[in-house]
Amino acid sequence: MSIQKQERTTSWTGLGVGTDRKSFLDAISSQIPDYEADRAAEAVFCTLSERLSASWVAHLREQLPPDIRDAFRVCHRHRGEAPVKLDRDDFYLRVANHLNAEPENVRLVLHGVFSALHAQLPDAEAKKLEQQLPAWLQGTWAAARLHVDRPY
């Protein structure tokens, strides 16, 4: 009788995904292959950092593995500015402009980045972050957490 050895991983989820920058970006690429993963992450993180308070951005960065933290920094174009109450259209437009993408594709980009981000966060932190998001963004965040099919 053979005994299989179960390997331990250092990922938050225990699934072995998202433990470093490369696997994080690979997770994004698998969701949104038509976009450069690092640019998609930067666009989403930059826009989130505009929407969230500086203390929440710092708190969220601390939840991430060290080599991903740099990806979630306040965008160089927006440093020093107070968070803005962006409505849905403005939020989507800012992500689209950051990526030079069509605004109708932004929800797909958000889903891909959020899905990879969920693999980095403990469930309790993901739920806390959801409460910081506007209602119109909470659904996309929750769908990515629940691995609902990505939007098309």
Side-chain angles (χ1 to χ4, degrees):
M1 175 183 226
S2 69
I3 298 176
Q4 290 183 333
K5 181 180 176 184
Q6 185 175 8
E7 292 184 33
R8 279 188 133 25
T9 67
T10 58
S11 77
W12 289 109
T13 62
L15 299 175
V17 295
T19 57
D20 60 19
R21 186 175 181 85
K22 181 184 180 321
S23 60
F24 177 72
L25 295 176
D26 286 348
I28 294 172
S29 291
S30 72
Q31 292 283 320
I32 51 172
D34 294 338
Y35 295 93
E36 292 178 39
D38 56 341
R39 290 196 58 219
E42 180 182 307
V44 172
F45 291 165
C46 179
T47 308
L48 273 178
S49 70
E50 288 182 65
R51 180 62 179 80
L52 299 172
S53 69
S55 63
W56 246 100
V57 171
H59 176 74
L60 186 55
R61 284 186 76 229
E62 291 302 313
Q63 302 304 310
L64 300 171
D67 59 351
I68 296 174
R69 289 179 187 163
D70 287 342
F72 203 115
R73 65 187 183 283
V74 176
C75 180
H76 69 279
R77 295 187 299 184
H78 308 289
R79 278 192 195 128
E81 296 178 11
V84 183
K85 294 284 185 184
L86 301 172
D87 68 15
R88 179 182 156 178
D89 292 338
D90 288 337
F91 188 92
Y92 281 29
L93 189 58
R94 287 191 189 205
V95 173
N97 287 341
H98 214 107
L99 277 174
N100 294 323
E102 296 297 323
E104 58 267 13
N105 295 332
V106 168
R107 201 161 148 250
L108 174 65
V109 171
L110 290 170
H111 185 85
V113 174
F114 285 175
S115 180
L117 186 55
H118 274 293
Q120 297 297 328
L121 299 174
D123 281 341
E125 291 302 322
K127 289 176 184 174
K128 287 179 192 176
L129 176 58
E130 185 174 343
Q131 298 306 310
Q132 298 299 312
L133 299 174
W136 48 264
L137 195 53
Q138 288 177 356
T140 303
W141 177 256
R145 186 183 86 239
L146 299 172
H147 304 289
V148 173
D149 288 341
R150 63 190 177 115
Y152 290 97

